[in-house]
Amino acid sequence: MKILRFTDSEGIVRLGTNPADGMATEVIAAGDKGYEPTGQLRAIHSFLAPVQPAAIICIGLNYREHAKETGLELPRYPVVFMKNPAAATGHGQPVVLPESCRKKAQTDYEAELAVIISRPAKNVRLGDALSYVKGYTVGNDISARSWQKHAGGGQWVRGKSFDTFCPLGPVMVTPDELPDPDSLGIGCRVNGQTMQQSNTSDMIFAVSELIAYLSEDTTLLPDTVILTGTPSGVGFTRNPPVFLSPGDRLETEIDKIGTLVNAVI
């Protein structure tokens, strides 16, 4: 099932499915049964991120071709960092460039498969890892490169955590409809021009490996979002570099999930 999270015309947050013509069929969470339709049609006022993240854990350099374009060796272990959960925003919502990113062009796009954890996960065995997945969605790890590499003291968190720097959506696809997350076309377009085009099969660490690794001695809470890395084609590796500017239209797409659209302001 494809699940969206949205506000209706009265500002009430709801879950729905089958969005069409500005409407969605409301669903409710039904525990082990997943989601049950209520039969009510609700107007979609605005899309929200499919979940309100408990945490956003990110993986760097997880695509072979991306590691190659950066000139770095393939990592032996997943490269882990985090984004502030408050950075999450939804489909159709703007990516806002803060004042600190407007003095110098530096804001980059990173198309990513996002994995959402369903229940507390700790010391998960590799063979059981996908049973902890609530669903999958499209993500974009928006990154302020100067803050990531220089102004932030060489750490990554601040330059990736500004408000709206983690678009997610438009829907979450439940695992029964997406049994193999490691073979999905993934791409990103800026103003209609394809900037990234790859497949999750190029990932160095598969989804199940990431869940098992991240849960070693550490509890992953329900609604933790794992951003699994970005493919090649990011803006800072291009000659000349390509960074996001006000007025740009960002489209992030993953097969079998959908297209996440955000304007840059």
Side-chain angles (χ1 to χ4, degrees):
M1 185 177 288
K2 291 186 175 181
I3 304 296
L4 65 147
R5 183 168 160 264
F6 64 100
T7 57
D8 65 13
S9 56
E10 297 179 350
I12 299 172
V13 177
R14 300 187 185 274
L15 299 176
T17 190
N18 301 325
D21 299 324
M23 305 291 289
T25 301
E26 185 180 16
V27 300
I28 57 173
D32 293 340
K33 296 180 181 179
Y35 297 89
E36 293 183 351
T38 66
Q40 296 290 319
L41 278 176
R42 303 289 186 183
I44 302 171
H45 180 263
S46 60
F47 282 79
L48 303 173
V51 296
Q52 187 169 341
I56 303 174
I57 303 176
C58 310
I59 307 299
L61 295 175
N62 196 31
Y63 281 73
R64 293 172 180 85
E65 289 300 315
H66 177 51
K68 184 184 299 184
E69 74 177 351
T70 62
L72 298 172
E73 294 182 0
L74 300 186
R76 292 181 58 194
Y77 304 99
V79 176
V80 181
F81 61 97
M82 300 187 77
K83 292 172 84 85
N84 180 8
T89 191
H91 170 70
Q93 303 303 310
V95 170
V96 182
L97 303 185
E99 179 64 29
S100 61
C101 292
R102 297 202 296 271
K103 299 173 184 176
K104 176 183 178 181
Q106 59 169 291
T107 307
D108 211 342
Y109 51 84
E110 293 191 12
E112 309 218 4
L113 172 67
V115 180
I116 301 167
I117 297 297
S118 61
R119 65 187 195 275
K122 183 177 180 180
N123 293 323
V124 173
R125 293 181 298 181
L126 184 63
D128 296 333
L130 293 186
S131 71
Y132 286 82
V133 175
K134 181 177 187 176
Y136 304 93
T137 192
V138 182
N140 203 305
D141 176 20
I142 305 295
S143 304
R145 297 302 187 191
S146 291
W147 282 96
Q148 176 188 356
K149 297 181 177 185
H150 306 292
Q155 54 76 37
W156 292 9
V157 176
R158 177 170 173 79
K160 289 172 172 279
S161 287
F162 296 134
D163 290 351
T164 74
F165 271 34
C166 189
L168 298 168
V171 297
M172 176 188 73
V173 178
T174 52
D176 57 303
E177 290 197 10
L178 209 165
D180 183 9
D182 301 310
S183 182
L184 299 170
I186 179 171
C188 179
R189 296 183 294 275
V190 178
N191 300 327
Q193 181 178 353
T194 297
M195 309 303 287
Q196 294 179 283
Q197 191 64 58
S198 186
N199 193 287
T200 57
S201 61
D202 190 46
M203 290 197 300
I204 298 165
F205 303 101
V207 170
S208 56
E209 294 176 302
L210 292 175
I211 295 171
Y213 179 81
L214 294 172
S215 69
E216 287 182 12
D217 305 310
T218 299
T219 301
L220 306 180
L221 297 174
D223 290 339
T224 291
V225 173
I226 302 171
L227 294 181
T228 56
T230 196
S232 61
V234 295
F236 86 92
T237 65
R238 293 176 172 270
N239 188 16
V242 175
F243 293 120
L244 298 175
S245 299
D248 285 346
R249 175 182 170 88
L250 186 64
E251 297 173 277
T252 316
E253 185 172 16
I254 299 180
D255 289 350
K256 301 181 181 179
I257 302 177
T259 303
L260 170 66
V261 179
N262 303 94
V264 180
I265 66 172

